[in-house]
Amino acid sequence: QVQLVESGGGLVQPGGSLRLSCATSERIFRLYVMGWYRQAPGKERELVATITSDGSTVYEDSVLDRFTISGDNARYTVYLQMNRLKPEDTAVYYCHAYGPESEPSDYWGQGTQVTVSS
């Protein structure tokens, strides 16, 4: 069955870095649009970045030039490299998979906490 297994969250100081990982199955990795969303307390969930199987990427404006989304075809894993972290990046980060027209479904991971604080 479909599962998205997230890891890599934690506590870092402003200006620091973290790398989040989202491991899934071969089928989901190859056919779905993979991405990362985040949700801060009291705020709506927002898109951070997405990546397709051909490598096309989309980033939210506030993370552009600081975050990089990438995929590992051998491990069926999507990464989010986060650099120059700011306190406003603090949120629960969720992995997401969105299916094609032939398989109109989507899946969410359980989330991993990222806290940026001195």
Side-chain angles (χ1 to χ4, degrees):
Q1 59 192 28
V2 174
Q3 63 177 9
L4 305 176
V5 181
E6 300 150 318
S7 62
L11 173 64
V12 297
Q13 294 184 330
S17 298
L18 284 174
R19 189 181 73 163
L20 306 183
S21 299
C22 175
T24 187
S25 68
E26 179 179 10
R27 180 176 66 86
I28 296 299
F29 184 84
R30 298 292 173 84
L31 296 179
Y32 282 49
V33 175
M34 304 296 300
W36 290 94
Y37 288 71
R38 66 186 181 186
Q39 187 168 25
K43 302 292 181 64
E44 295 183 349
R45 189 172 298 187
E46 66 174 357
L47 173 70
V48 177
T50 63
I51 187 168
T52 63
S53 59
D54 67 357
S56 298
T57 58
V58 173
Y59 294 94
E60 196 275 326
D61 287 345
S62 69
V63 309
L64 191 64
D65 300 322
R66 296 189 298 121
F67 292 10
T68 302
I69 188 170
S70 62
D72 185 332
N73 293 333
R75 300 185 64 185
Y76 316 135
T77 299
V78 176
Y79 302 97
L80 184 68
Q81 178 66 47
M82 305 184 293
N83 299 323
R84 306 199 310 278
L85 283 160
K86 304 174 181 179
E88 52 262 44
D89 295 318
T90 296
V92 177
Y93 283 69
Y94 297 90
C95 186
H96 179 253
Y98 185 80
E101 287 289 323
S102 60
E103 193 172 334
S105 59
D106 69 324
Y107 302 93
W108 293 94
Q110 292 300 302
T112 184
Q113 177 70 47
V114 172
T115 302
V116 185
S117 179
S118 298

